[in-house]
Amino acid sequence: MTPTHCPYCALQCGMNLTPAAGGGVTVTERVDFPVNRGALCGKGRTAPALLSPALRLTEPLVRRDGVLVPASWEEALDRVAEGLTRTRTEHGPDACGVFGGGGLTNEKAYALGKFARVVLGTSQIDYNGRFCMSSAAAAGNKAFGMDRGLPFPMEDIPKTGCVILVGSNLAETMPPALRYLTELRENGGTLIVIDPRRTRTAEQADLHLAPRPGTDLALALGLLHLVVSQGRTDEAFIEERTSGWEETRAAAMAHWPEYVERITGVPVPQLREAVRMFCEPANAMVLTARGPEQQSKGTDTVSAWINLCLATGRSGRPYSGYGCLTGQGNGQGGREHGQKADQLPGYRKLTDPEARRHVAGVWGVDPDSLPGPGLSAYELLDALGSDIHSLLLMGSNPVVSAPRAGHIQQRLESLDFLAVADVVLSETAALADVVLPVTQWAEETGTTTNLEGRVLLRRQAVAPPDGVRSDLYVLHQLAARAGVEKGFPVDPEEVFEELRRASAGGIADYSGITYRRLAEENGVFWPCPAQDDQSDEQQHDPRHPQRHEHGHDDQALAAPHPGSPRLFLDRFATEDGRARFAPVTYRPIAEEPDAEYPVLLTTGRVVAQYQSGAQTRRVDELNAAAPGPFVELHPRLAARLGAEEGDVIAVVSRRGRAVAPARITTSIRPDTVFMPFHWPGEGRANTLTNPALDPTSRMPEFKACAVRLETVRP
């Protein structure tokens, strides 16, 4: 039996894998892991199905005469190396793009960022985590000086007095986490859910607010207005631990309740009730997810919710605070260690000379040789075939997941060369010139960082099929073909030891974490520096990674750093230790409805599928539960359209057209339709979505765009 973690969402639920008598493995409960305490959703229970060779790639593929055909690893790697080298020679390093994924382990994300900057010398690297929580990250960095999804462990949620859950449907996206909200209410706390739809999560709420999509910013500002006007601010906390309050208060006071009701559609009495529920207990939390974040003003929206926490003293105290519910399995760690366009390992800024010096020293290169920041994820994809001629893509499926997906598919098809490393032949991999079959969660060892900032060890439980190699092997081989013989090991623990050194002293400091420690503990929360009284040589020598961590040496060394499960209790991570208010004001979505496109579309997930569906759509049990796309609309909207349940509806935006059966329900606003985004083809929701970008986070506006509806056929 091998203890490990689920390959899907950022809960990273603990599970045990046990060899089955007839081959393969079975999942059993792992009750010792505190996040899920044994509970698993259907995706976790069925995750071993993807280990079957029948459902995944088991040999490299190369394109000959327009068709992907099997090839040897040598030929496939040679072709990738030749394609990238030819592009660099003819067009320069920045004509090579690299696109990663929030499901890659920390080791893979670190190696991919290093490969892009050291081997290719390109600035053009980003990852699909940009589409996940980049707005929350930008707002958190502004306010607190640090971005970690949750600044407290999940176990603190039931101990608070009130939770405002904004734009999250935990019951379907992270089912094992719903227990924390149930326990909150059992303990006497209250739950406020903010969502345009009455989801399964909203049904659990004491109060459900259903704002018009894209108006969460106005809603948060309206609540802060009421907090001020009712005298519910915590003036002592504001004075002692924050800065920028006067400008923020003035901005909020321009958003009076009746004005906010006109914008959001949320009645003033509900606004007042939400303020009462949030402010009366001694402590409270605000948790946001993709709803408020995937907007062209997502950073300001999250900042407004943080302002509400700061103004009421619900931050930097036990059982209080703002947190972001990270979506992808390693969305947190995936951006901390270098596959994001503007960051170096340890969550260092690529533009910081000291950060460049430190990381370049670990990598053994000249700091001046490191390229500067590149394009953000959507901008990088949009530049394919023009400024970027070749792309190496690992662990992402933008043909389904990117906004304006039809356009992005065309950009991918226009490339001179595309190489994809993936577990399955995704819709994006099907466009590639070379497809490399790589290992997945149960076939490899590596670390991930969950939504709490808890670094975890996934352990290999089974051998991969013949013909499958790890992503680290791919990068090692490509680097060697480019003349870089050292610096890209295949052993994940060796990569992690270098990651520790590269992250040391950074915001996301992993230097006090080792594989041995992760194997003995249920994860370690970063930041976790190596102890200060140890010599630099002791801290950073990969030959002795455990000695100083566990006191297993005869020398009298300090105990290991315990990790940091709860942040900001004494001070925030800013230079002066104070949290910073952000004076933000409401602005509308980038594309408001009009006479031609009179309805709002919002998108999201369903419980039985995950992200682009590249993996879950191959599992029979999950497909039986969620076989295809649909359009959810209110009965009044359906009546105006003349549509009935099951009728095929066309949803049309300025970017394209998607077709799916109608689901008629009173759980959605009459001015809004909802589509899940897991499917390709004619039901692809992201054909419709708007790539308008947040000016700070560069997050596209997935959550709100103008559409019209047409009845196609009964």
Side-chain angles (χ1 to χ4, degrees):
M1 184 172 67
T2 304
T4 189
H5 296 272
C6 178
Y8 291 116
C9 81
L11 283 179
Q12 288 296 280
C13 291
M15 58 170 62
N16 292 314
L17 297 182
T18 305
V25 296
T26 58
V27 171
T28 55
E29 291 185 355
R30 183 181 165 192
V31 297
D32 67 307
F33 186 61
V35 176
N36 63 309
R37 288 174 272 170
L40 292 169
C41 72
K43 294 185 292 291
R45 287 187 296 98
T46 60
L50 264 295
L51 300 174
S52 168
L55 298 183
R56 43 91 61 86
L57 293 166
T58 57
E59 57 187 347
L61 304 173
V62 300
R63 191 169 296 279
R64 291 198 186 101
D65 299 323
V67 179
L68 286 172
V69 297
S72 69
W73 268 96
E74 286 299 309
E75 179 187 357
L77 290 167
D78 285 345
R79 284 207 183 191
V80 177
E82 289 166 5
L84 296 174
T85 300
R86 183 172 58 252
T87 295
R88 292 184 77 235
T89 301
E90 295 177 357
H91 304 285
D94 275 355
C96 293
V98 177
F99 199 83
L104 300 181
T105 62
N106 290 318
E107 293 80 359
K108 295 177 184 179
Y110 172 83
L112 189 62
K114 181 181 178 182
F115 178 85
R117 296 180 174 106
V118 172
V119 177
L120 297 180
T122 182
S123 65
Q124 302 304 344
I125 174 172
D126 211 83
Y127 82 128
N128 63 16
R130 176 80 68 170
F131 301 156
C132 179
M133 58 174 292
S134 57
S135 295
N141 280 323
K142 282 184 177 180
F144 308 128
M146 177 186 288
D147 153 41
R148 197 180 83 184
L150 295 181
F152 41 74
M154 296 285 286
E155 66 188 51
D156 284 4
I157 293 174
K159 301 173 185 176
T160 194
C162 176
V163 168
I164 299 181
L165 185 66
V166 190
S168 171
N169 183 11
L170 278 181
E172 298 205 52
T173 58
M174 296 179 173
L178 191 64
R179 68 167 57 190
Y180 292 101
L181 301 180
T182 302
E183 291 172 7
L184 165 76
R185 299 183 71 207
E186 290 172 349
N187 292 341
T190 55
L191 173 63
I192 302 169
V193 171
I194 298 172
D195 198 303
R197 305 165 62 222
R198 187 164 181 80
T199 63
R200 289 170 55 188
T201 307
E203 290 173 353
Q204 309 299 312
D206 298 283
L207 177 64
H208 172 217
L209 309 182
R212 188 170 173 264
T215 63
D216 309 87
L217 174 54
L219 181 60
L221 287 163
L223 296 181
L224 184 54
H225 177 110
L226 287 169
V227 164
V228 174
S229 64
Q230 293 176 9
R232 294 181 182 270
T233 56
D234 188 330
E235 295 298 326
F237 179 87
I238 292 170
E239 175 67 24
E240 294 168 8
R241 300 200 58 191
T242 72
S243 61
W245 169 234
E246 292 303 321
E247 298 89 342
T248 298
R249 178 172 58 185
M253 296 313 288
H255 298 77
W256 59 95
E258 292 76 13
Y259 171 58
V260 169
E261 178 179 334
R262 288 200 300 273
I263 294 171
T264 64
V266 177
V268 171
Q270 290 189 3
L271 298 176
R272 296 185 184 278
E273 177 65 4
V275 168
R276 183 195 68 77
M277 292 170 61
F278 185 68
C279 292
E280 282 190 352
N283 40 54
M285 296 176 179
V286 172
L287 305 177
T288 69
R290 305 301 79 75
E293 297 164 19
Q294 287 181 328
Q295 298 182 27
S296 60
K297 54 182 182 297
T299 302
D300 284 359
T301 302
V302 174
S303 292
W305 289 108
I306 292 174
N307 290 343
L308 181 67
C309 291
L310 295 176
T312 54
R314 267 87 167 116
S315 191
R317 289 174 171 170
Y319 312 127
S320 286
Y322 163 78
C324 166
L325 299 169
T326 310
Q328 295 190 78
N330 197 31
Q332 180 73 53
R335 72 180 176 283
E336 292 169 1
H337 300 299
Q339 67 170 335
K340 191 164 172 279
D342 55 353
Q343 287 177 194
L344 287 170
Y347 219 125
R348 289 179 160 91
K349 292 184 181 297
L350 190 53
T351 53
D352 178 1
E354 177 54 30
R356 294 169 67 88
R357 184 203 63 78
H358 173 82
V359 174
V362 175
W363 288 351
V365 299
D366 184 341
D368 292 337
S369 71
L370 298 178
L375 297 172
S376 70
Y378 180 78
E379 293 167 303
L380 188 158
L381 295 171
D382 189 39
L384 300 179
S386 54
D387 295 334
I388 298 173
H389 293 257
S390 293
L391 182 68
L392 173 63
L393 186 146
M394 286 186 164
S396 185
N397 189 18
V399 166
V400 179
S401 64
R404 198 185 173 196
H407 171 72
I408 296 306
Q409 181 172 337
Q410 292 173 357
R411 303 319 306 153
L412 286 159
E413 291 169 344
S414 72
L415 282 165
D416 294 342
F417 181 79
L418 172 62
V420 174
D422 209 332
V423 174
V424 297
L425 189 67
S426 69
E427 288 72 24
T428 304
L431 303 178
D433 297 286
V434 178
V435 182
L436 303 172
V438 291
T439 50
Q440 55 179 310
W441 62 292
E443 299 164 352
E444 60 188 10
T445 294
T447 62
T448 61
T449 306
N450 81 342
L451 77 173
E452 308 165 298
R454 188 192 302 253
V455 184
L456 305 166
L457 183 65
R458 281 191 195 161
R459 298 167 175 87
Q460 181 179 0
V462 297
D466 292 339
V468 173
R469 305 285 186 270
S470 73
D471 300 84
L472 295 178
Y473 172 86
V474 169
L475 296 174
H476 171 82
Q477 290 291 329
L478 294 178
R481 282 165 169 76
V484 182
E485 298 290 343
K486 296 183 179 180
F488 291 89
V490 175
D491 177 25
E493 185 169 7
E494 190 175 346
V495 177
F496 189 79
E497 287 304 315
E498 184 178 298
L499 182 157
R500 292 176 61 213
R501 291 184 286 129
S503 74
I507 292 174
D509 191 335
Y510 283 30
S511 61
I513 305 174
T514 66
Y515 269 36
R516 178 173 176 176
R517 185 172 178 185
L518 293 176
E520 294 174 352
E521 304 177 32
N522 271 321
V524 178
F525 292 85
W526 72 262
C528 182
Q531 296 299 71
D532 293 337
D533 60 346
Q534 297 160 2
S535 70
D536 187 70
E537 181 180 355
Q538 284 177 316
Q539 289 184 34
H540 298 156
D541 186 348
R543 295 171 298 177
H544 306 288
Q546 288 84 35
R547 214 174 59 173
H548 56 276
E549 301 296 348
H550 299 278
H552 294 308
D553 192 83
D554 292 334
Q555 300 179 33
L557 297 177
H561 189 285
S564 308
R566 295 172 179 87
L567 303 175
F568 313 141
L569 296 183
D570 300 316
R571 70 188 308 277
F572 295 96
T574 56
E575 289 185 3
D576 60 5
R578 290 174 172 265
R580 304 185 188 99
F581 281 99
V584 296
T585 57
Y586 174 72
R587 63 183 187 275
I589 59 176
E591 187 178 79
E592 288 279 12
D594 57 19
E596 187 176 3
Y597 300 96
V599 177
L600 279 169
L601 167 71
T602 193
T603 63
R605 288 171 47 192
V606 297
V607 67
Q609 302 288 353
Y610 181 72
Q611 303 299 73
S612 76
Q615 296 182 24
T616 51
R617 284 187 276 111
R618 287 167 166 78
V619 179
D620 289 342
E621 182 178 332
L622 300 178
N623 277 335
F630 57 86
V631 182
E632 187 177 277
L633 67 163
H634 192 276
R636 293 212 298 267
L637 182 55
R640 291 202 300 270
L641 189 63
E644 297 184 359
E645 180 77 15
D647 283 359
V648 178
I649 302 295
V651 184
V652 184
S653 79
R654 289 177 173 86
R655 289 153 295 281
R657 171 188 175 99
V659 177
R663 260 188 210 180
I664 300 174
T665 174
T666 58
S667 66
I668 193 168
R669 291 174 54 98
D671 58 1
T672 301
V673 295
F674 167 82
M675 289 187 73
F677 59 79
H678 309 291
W679 288 274
E682 65 175 8
R684 181 174 60 187
N686 277 320
T687 297
L688 309 167
T689 48
N690 190 354
L693 301 180
D694 181 292
T696 302
S697 68
R698 316 308 289 170
M699 168 73 84
E701 191 151 67
F702 286 99
K703 289 303 181 188
C705 71
V707 299
R708 69 170 181 265
L709 306 182
E710 301 169 354
T711 302
V712 178
R713 59 184 182 274

